[in-house]
Amino acid sequence: MTEPFRKWSPQQAKFSSRQESYVLGGGAGGGGKTDLLIHNPLYMLEEDRQRWLRGVIPRSQVWCLLLRRLMPSTIQLVERMRQIYHVADPTVHVDETYKIWTFPCGFKIQAGGMEHRNDWHKYYGQEYGFLGWDEATEFEEEQFNQLDSRVRSADPYWQGRERVRLCTNPVGKGLLWVRRRFVEVSPPEKPVIMRVPLDKGGFKEFDQVFIPFKVSDNPAFAGGDYEARLAHLPPHIRRAVLDGDWYVVEGAILGELWEQGSHVIPDMSPPENVYIFRSCDWGLGGASGAPSVVLWWYVDSDNCLTCFHEMTFNNNCTPERLGNAIKEIEKHYGLWDTEE
């Protein structure tokens, strides 16, 4: 097996070297995200190849899956995988029907698409030691959740060391859920421990981190024609794909005016003796899964509005469930009127 690891820029190397369970690499276009995602399973491959050569394992049990949402993009992903993996090991076997690369030690990497919202069913019977999402904001949160439940390993060596990697620009229908789950929970490059409640009680902990990219992080495009082309795009597109701004939402009323640093303050409860009210925007996306939102506001002495709590919900939420969720939030802030 030849040396597969190209020389990354310092920022790209931060993504490649991370050991957290979940890593999002995102931001500007042209940051080299797809190549980073394709290369990432090779680090696991090298570990299993060495174990195989030493006779520690008869054959690798790791199966990796790299995904794109739309078919034209999947075709491009497959072609790039073909180039990179053939350099990594010219003896790798390729199943052209199912787009599976099998290395001599048994390690497998598969390319897949998920054009339709229920296409996750195609992969549901498998277990994956590595799951990669290329342009993650193209996917629905339900698709991510369903396949995330397939991330596991029968090999004790990899149990607890499985990897989920996401790369994306901050555009697309899935921007809000990706931003909420991977960008807003912690400052860039600062790992955070997330706790997930288990059905039988207790919690499962996992770590994650967000690594931002810009065009300047990719030597192939930095300072060149591509960067100049991005600079001439309309403001809302330029801020997303050149600056890597996660708070530019296409079609949003304040999309071109929003600045995270100016319009967001640290989490805080509302002050005493202020007027508080609740608003709700029920999304009209129907089956498309467009989110709805409930916001809680207070009005300060300068008549400025501050939103101190946000709750999003999808189109499957019933009025009863929504009402109960509102009640719990308002009880937390001491706002719920308990008198009958």
Side-chain angles (χ1 to χ4, degrees), residues 45-163:
L45 166 62
E46 182 60 16
E47 286 193 55
D48 257 14
R49 190 179 78 91
Q50 293 297 330
R51 296 171 67 214
W52 174 67
L53 290 174
R54 297 196 306 268
V56 176
I57 54 173
R59 194 164 177 81
S60 172
Q61 299 183 59
V62 176
W63 194 308
C64 309
L65 177 63
L66 305 184
L67 291 162
R68 279 298 299 257
R69 180 74 191 264
L70 303 178
M71 184 54 64
S73 301
T74 305
I75 293 173
Q76 293 183 12
L77 175 68
V78 168
E79 182 56 32
R80 191 67 183 127
M81 292 170 68
R82 184 178 287 113
Q83 297 169 10
I84 291 173
Y85 294 153
H86 180 74
V87 171
D89 189 340
T91 68
V92 65
H93 176 267
V94 184
D95 183 327
E96 293 292 352
T97 301
Y98 296 102
K99 302 298 183 290
I100 301 173
W101 282 258
T102 303
F103 293 84
C105 66
F107 193 97
K108 298 180 185 296
I109 307 176
Q110 179 180 2
M114 205 180 295
E115 193 150 12
H116 304 291
R117 66 180 316 181
N118 289 324
D119 279 353
W120 55 267
H121 286 286
K122 298 188 298 184
Y123 311 102
Y124 205 67
Q126 187 57 265
E127 65 177 35
Y128 300 104
F130 180 101
L131 190 57
W133 301 84
D134 195 18
E135 294 301 342
T137 53
E138 293 180 351
F139 295 89
E140 298 179 22
E141 188 171 14
E142 178 70 8
Q143 293 175 318
F144 177 83
N145 288 337
Q146 290 290 353
L147 283 197
D148 199 41
S149 71
R150 304 296 95 190
V151 178
R152 55 191 179 180
S153 177
D155 184 345
Y157 180 81
W158 290 110
Q159 289 174 4
R161 300 178 60 216
E162 300 91 348
R163 299 179 182 177

Side-chain angles (χ1 to χ4, degrees), residues 265-271 298 306-309 333:
I265 61 176
D267 289 344
M268 61 175 293
S269 296
Y298 68 82
T306 298
C307 176
F308 64 91
H309 195 98
Y333 287 103

Side-chain angles (χ1 to χ4, degrees), residues 176 179-180 184 292-296 307-313 329 333:
L176 294 180
R179 187 180 73 192
R180 169 174 47 82
E184 295 182 330
S292 302
V293 63
V294 179
L295 302 174
W296 282 261
C307 176
F308 64 91
H309 195 98
E310 174 187 81
M311 179 180 69
T312 58
F313 55 98
I329 290 170
Y333 287 103

